[in-house]
Amino acid sequence: MSGTRRKSWAEPFKIKMVEHLKMTTREERDRAITEAGYNTFLLKSVDVYIDLLTDSGTAAMSDVQWAGMMMGDEAYAGSRNYYHLEESVKEVYGYKYLVPTHQGRAAEHILSQIMIKAGDIIPGNMYFTTTRLHQELAGGTFVDVIIDEAHDTQSEHPFKGNVDLHKLQQVIEQYGAAKIPYVSIATCVNMAGGQPISIQNLREVRELCDKYKIKIIHDSTRVAENAYFIKVREQGFADKTIAEIVREICTYTDGCTMSAKKDAMVNIGGFLAINDWDIFEKARNMVVIYEGLHTYGGMAGRDMEAVAIGVKESVQFDHIRARVGQVEYLGNKLSDWGIPIIKPIGGHAVFLDAKAFLPHLPQLSFPAQTLAAELYLEAGIRSMERGIVSAGRNKQTGDHYYPRLELVRLTLPRRVYTQAHMDVTAEAVLEVFDRRDQIKGLKMVYEPEYLRFFQARFEPLS
Ligand code: F0G
């Protein structure tokens, strides 16, 4: 890509308010990461300079969203913001029925409990931590049917989120369609590095599922970013709007679980949306037990209003181009310096390949966890492990899952950091890269039962 083309992502907004950040010393960071058990999830946010832990709930809302917050109708039942949200979801995604939830995993919980029975199989284009756990808690087993290229850090396949139709067909033949309540399809697959699925692949998955009367549930958390990649990479879509592509993606699926904390740029919120009346009825009933009445589902009226507006902002082309453009800016910089990252660069984050970065560390000394801690020590930059710690244990054998991908995610909050922050981040990664030979691994000294990456504690290997 030429230098002039890389500049084209400049933001379609200006900054109205700022939040001050604390600059820390190396000693302060040393103390902080030790106290946090070398787990970036356990750091206090005040001790972090540039927070690239997640793009979830960390966006800067627009002035229109903030104005919407003031229009919160906090009635217990039938808040007008619920109806606005319903209208936005129908308009942008096209699904028929909406059940609001406080965030994405709550929608996953409700949907899994309704659709999955003990012994069921859920094929999908790579697992996501909370999604798979809810499938397992409902008695199901997740089976990965993503293309092999998704597990290959060297592959530059433009749609690494695609389903391998042969693998899917095999799973259907092996277990029988009756054991498969739905196929789980994520757009811009998080754990693969923010990699998109193509429309062509989606159409083929739909065709195969139709043949066996299997439903498709869409994890739409980052669907707008996926739509952007379709527009710029897939033949025949250059002239379509992001909104049109998002709608088309959704037409190939029967419903979605959504964490509005990502694409929709709110600090809290989510929903389940579905075309099937029976599932909707069950979900609407179940949400009352776990979240709240079906017209707020764990969100305040003001939060629903912010989601209703954010959903529409998420499909504006200038926004999404700048969003993905900033991620690409950081990724290209690292890649130009020879730092191993997942390619193509993803939609929401740059993923450092910790196995290639620290080749001397065996996977059981947690290379990605180690690298995330080192980056914090270097410059106060907080990132996230996405490797063996995140993958957890096989519930049958009790052994660790050993994912091929051992990654550190530098995740960019939407509309929050500047190009200079990206430069500082890249330079910090380079500093760590230059001294990589001296880096030793970690040992796990505390391991919680569920989603261990959030709360596990580590100590340096001597
Ligand atoms: N699906 C995907 C693809 C996600 O990335 C997330 C959250 C969820 C579901 C769950 O949604 O957090 O609202 O309950 N991902 C965050 C992350 C935590 O940092 O990637 P939630």
Side-chain angles (χ1 to χ4, degrees):
M1 227 195 267
S2 76
T4 44
R5 278 179 65 197
R6 265 187 215 172
K7 288 192 189 103
S8 66
W9 56 271
E11 294 84 353
F13 57 80
K14 58 184 176 176
I15 297 166
K16 199 194 284 265
M17 191 167 74
V18 299
E19 182 180 339
H20 293 286
L21 299 172
K22 184 171 101 181
M23 313 291 279
T24 50
T25 64
R26 171 84 196 201
E27 285 92 71
E28 285 170 331
R29 293 196 291 276
D30 237 325
R31 207 174 319 126
I33 197 75
T34 307
E35 272 172 25
Y38 291 80
N39 185 343
T40 52
F41 277 104
L42 300 178
L43 286 167
K44 290 179 185 152
S45 146
V46 289
D47 294 328
V48 174
Y49 173 41
I50 301 176
D51 201 346
L52 308 183
L53 183 69
T54 179
D55 63 331
S56 182
T58 52
M61 291 207 296
S62 67
D63 50 356
V64 183
Q65 284 177 297
W66 278 110
M69 296 281 280
M70 295 304 290
M71 302 298 284
D73 168 6
E74 307 305 342
Y76 186 86
S79 157
R80 80 175 141 195
N81 312 116
Y82 165 76
Y83 295 103
H84 184 195
L85 177 60
E86 190 184 40
E87 178 199 307
S88 274
V89 169
K90 265 192 204 155
E91 180 188 318
V92 174
Y93 307 102
Y95 300 115
K96 281 194 195 147
Y97 309 115
L98 168 75
V99 179
T101 58
H102 79 280
Q103 60 183 74
R105 71 196 71 183
E108 292 166 355
H109 169 224
I110 290 169
L111 185 88
S112 301
Q113 291 296 326
I114 291 169
M115 293 191 73
I116 300 171
K117 321 181 284 305
D120 278 355
I121 300 294
I122 305 94
N125 56 345
M126 202 174 270
Y127 83 101
F128 182 71
T129 53
T130 59
T131 321
R132 184 178 66 190
L133 180 60
H134 281 298
Q135 291 163 356
E136 288 175 354
L137 290 172
T141 302
F142 175 82
V143 178
D144 191 2
V145 293
I146 204 165
I147 56 172
D148 287 340
E149 286 88 339
H151 296 278
D152 176 0
T153 56
Q154 299 310 306
S155 163
E156 299 219 14
H157 192 295
F159 291 102
K160 277 169 125 176
N162 280 357
V163 169
D164 183 326
L165 291 149
H166 182 68
K167 285 187 198 167
L168 179 56
Q169 173 85 43
Q170 273 188 331
V171 173
I172 298 172
E173 279 166 16
Q174 186 180 344
Y175 298 98
K179 281 235 168 292
I180 301 175
Y182 60 90
V183 174
S184 182
I185 295 294
T187 34
C188 252
V189 181
N190 191 354
M191 301 301 276
Q195 303 294 330
I197 180 169
S198 71
I199 288 277
Q200 192 197 328
N201 186 252
L202 262 170
R203 286 179 187 149
E204 289 164 357
V205 173
R206 180 78 262 178
E207 220 169 277
L208 184 60
C209 287
D210 279 349
K211 200 167 123 194
Y212 293 96
K213 297 197 165 45
I214 298 172
K215 286 194 162 40
I216 300 175
I217 297 296
H218 173 201
D219 182 336
S220 56
T221 296
R222 296 182 184 84
V223 63
E225 289 163 10
N226 198 118
Y228 175 78
F229 286 125
I230 288 171
K231 183 176 169 74
V232 297
R233 289 184 192 162
E234 190 164 356
Q235 219 192 337
F237 290 88
D239 297 328
K240 295 229 153 99
T241 65
I242 299 297
E244 285 166 343
I245 300 171
V246 166
R247 272 298 283 265
E248 180 165 351
I249 291 171
C250 295
T251 60
Y252 301 122
T253 66
D254 299 287
C256 76
T257 54
M258 173 74 175
S259 170
K261 299 167 74 173
K262 284 82 164 173
D263 259 6
M265 294 174 282
V266 293
N267 304 123
I268 193 74
F271 54 82
L272 168 66
I274 195 100
N275 293 334
D276 182 299
W277 172 264
D278 291 334
I279 299 171
F280 167 63
E281 240 197 335
K282 286 181 190 154
R284 187 173 57 168
N285 190 214
M286 197 162 178
V287 79
V288 184
I289 312 172
Y290 294 104
E291 297 282 294
L293 193 69
H294 61 279
T295 55
Y296 74 86
M299 279 186 280
R302 55 179 173 271
D303 295 328
M304 290 191 282
E305 190 60 28
V307 179
I309 297 165
V311 156
K312 290 190 189 162
E313 290 184 2
S314 78
V315 294
Q316 289 168 6
F317 176 72
D318 290 337
H319 154 68
I320 202 76
R321 181 180 60 173
R323 193 288 184 276
V324 177
Q326 190 179 40
V327 178
E328 286 177 341
Y329 174 82
L330 174 62
N332 282 324
K333 199 152 193 163
L334 294 170
S335 171
D336 289 350
W337 291 340
I339 293 167
I341 62 167
I342 299 274
K343 297 263 202 74
I345 296 160
H348 65 303
V350 175
F351 289 74
L352 303 176
D353 179 355
K355 276 187 188 170
F357 200 112
L358 299 170
H360 56 290
L361 295 190
Q363 201 166 14
L364 266 180
S365 61
F366 310 110
Q369 189 78 29
T370 306
L371 181 51
E374 286 297 333
L375 246 183
Y376 174 73
L377 279 168
E378 183 63 43
I381 292 163
R382 171 151 71 173
S383 56
M384 184 191 289
E385 192 265 9
R386 294 275 84 154
I388 185 168
V389 184
S390 295
R393 288 181 189 272
N394 181 310
K395 69 179 178 346
Q396 260 98 43
T397 65
D399 195 12
H400 300 279
Y401 287 112
Y402 290 89
R404 273 175 68 190
L405 299 182
E406 179 72 26
L407 310 175
V408 169
R409 191 180 73 172
L410 301 167
T411 335
L412 301 201
R414 294 165 184 80
R415 308 192 290 211
V416 170
Y417 290 113
T418 65
Q419 185 164 339
H421 287 117
M422 297 303 103
D423 292 340
V424 170
T425 301
E427 285 158 19
V429 176
L430 185 61
E431 293 285 342
V432 177
F433 192 60
D434 285 345
R435 61 177 173 78
R436 62 192 181 279
D437 294 346
Q438 295 141 44
I439 295 173
K440 300 193 177 78
L442 295 168
K443 61 175 185 236
M444 204 189 308
V445 294
Y446 167 70
E447 179 177 357
E449 187 179 351
Y450 298 112
L451 303 177
R452 63 184 184 178
F453 55 94
F454 284 127
Q455 290 149 340
R457 301 184 69 84
F458 301 83
E459 278 171 12
L461 285 170
S462 45

